[in-house]
C-alpha cells in the first residue's frame, strides 16, 4: 500500500525527489529552413545523416540544386544550424523570401544573384528617412509616408 501512495504523491509533486526535479519546456513543432552548400552526394548524405540522427527531428528534405535543407520536428533552429556546421559545412537560416514580399526587390540589400528564381534576400523593412525635417523624421511611420507625398514637401513625388 505504501508503494502506491508514494507513486501517487510523486505524481502530484509531493514526493521528496520529484519536487526538486526541473521540467523542461516542451519544444514546439516547427519547420527550419537552411541554406547549406552541398556539391556532391557525399556532402548531402553527411548533412542528412547528421540531421536525421538529431533528437526531435521528424523529417529532413534536401534540395541540392537550391542548397536548401528543410528540417521538420521538435527542434530549435540554432541547434539545427550548429549540427550542420559540425559537419564542416557552412550553414545559415534560409535567407530568401519571394520577391513579391519585398518593397524594392532589386535594391542593393535585397537583390542576390545566387537566390533561387523568384526569390530575393530577406531584408528587414526599412522606412525611408526624411531628410527635410527632424520633426518628420521623428514622427510615426504613417506620418512620414503621408508627408512624402505632401505638397509642402519639396522632395515629394508628384503624379500628373
Amino acid at each position: 500500500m505504501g508503494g502506491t501512495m508514494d507513486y501517487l504523491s510523486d505524481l502530484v509533486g509531493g514526493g521528496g525527489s520529484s519536487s526538486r526535479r526541473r521540467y523542461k519546456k516542451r519544444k514546439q513543432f516547427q519547420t527550419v529552413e537552411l541554406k547549406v552548400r552541398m556539391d556532391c552526394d557525399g556532402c548531402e548524405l553527411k548533412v542528412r545523416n547528421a540531421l536525421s540522427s538529431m533528437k526531435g527531428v521528424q523529417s529532413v528534405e534536401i534540395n541540392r540544386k537550391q542548397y536548401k535543407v528543410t528540417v521538420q520536428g521538435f527542434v530549435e533552429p540554432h541547434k539545427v544550424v550548429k549540427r550542420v556546421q559540425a559537419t564542416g559545412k557552412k550553414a545559415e537560416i534560409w535567407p530568401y523570401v519571394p520577391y513579391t514580399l519585398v518593397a524594392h526587390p532589386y535594391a542593393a540589400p535585397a537583390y542576390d544573384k545566387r537566390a533561387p528564381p523568384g526569390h530575393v534576400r530577406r531584408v528587414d523593412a526599412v522606412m525611408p528617412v526624411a531628410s527635410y525635417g527632424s520633426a518628420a523624421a521623428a514622427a510615426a511611420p504613417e506620418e512620414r509616408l503621408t508627408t512624402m507625398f505632401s505638397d509642402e514637401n519639396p522632395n515629394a513625388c508628384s503624379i500628373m
Side-chain angles (χ1 to χ4, degrees):
M1 188 81 167
T4 308
M5 290 306 285
D6 290 339
Y7 173 72
L8 288 175
S9 67
D10 282 349
L11 279 178
V12 176
S17 63
S18 69
S19 62
R20 284 180 254 138
R21 196 179 300 149
R22 303 250 177 202
Y23 291 98
K24 285 186 180 179
K25 194 173 101 174
R26 188 167 178 204
K27 294 177 184 143
Q28 296 290 317
F29 183 85
Q30 56 188 324
T31 301
V32 181
E33 294 180 325
L34 305 173
K35 179 182 177 187
V36 183
R37 184 156 178 108
M38 295 166 287
D39 299 315
C40 64
D41 291 339
C43 296
E44 184 178 329
L45 193 63
K46 187 187 283 188
V47 170
R48 184 181 302 279
N49 287 343
L51 290 173
S52 57
S53 66
M54 193 174 170
K55 186 180 176 191
V57 170
Q58 303 283 320
S59 70
V60 177
E61 194 177 307
I62 296 178
N63 182 336
R64 193 171 8 156
K65 195 172 186 181
Q66 289 187 339
Y67 301 128
K68 186 174 187 176
V69 177
T70 306
V71 178
Q72 290 187 323
F74 297 94
V75 291
E76 294 176 33
H78 72 278
K79 288 187 178 179
V80 175
V81 172
K82 284 189 180 221
R83 176 61 70 104
V84 173
Q85 288 172 342
T87 66
K89 295 284 171 204
K90 185 176 175 236
E92 62 178 313
I93 298 293
W94 186 251
Y96 304 120
V97 293
Y99 74 93
T100 54
L101 298 180
V102 177
H104 303 289
Y106 298 105
Y111 181 74
D112 186 348
K113 66 182 178 186
R114 291 170 296 193
H119 288 74
V120 292
R121 193 164 272 284
R122 179 185 298 135
V123 287
D124 294 327
V126 178
M127 293 300 297
V129 177
S131 59
Y132 48 84
S134 60
E142 298 85 31
E143 288 182 41
R144 277 195 276 156
L145 287 174
T146 55
T147 56
M148 280 176 54
F149 298 99
S150 169
D151 290 337
E152 287 134 26
N153 179 2
N155 301 324
C157 295
S158 60
I159 301 171
M160 300 255 180

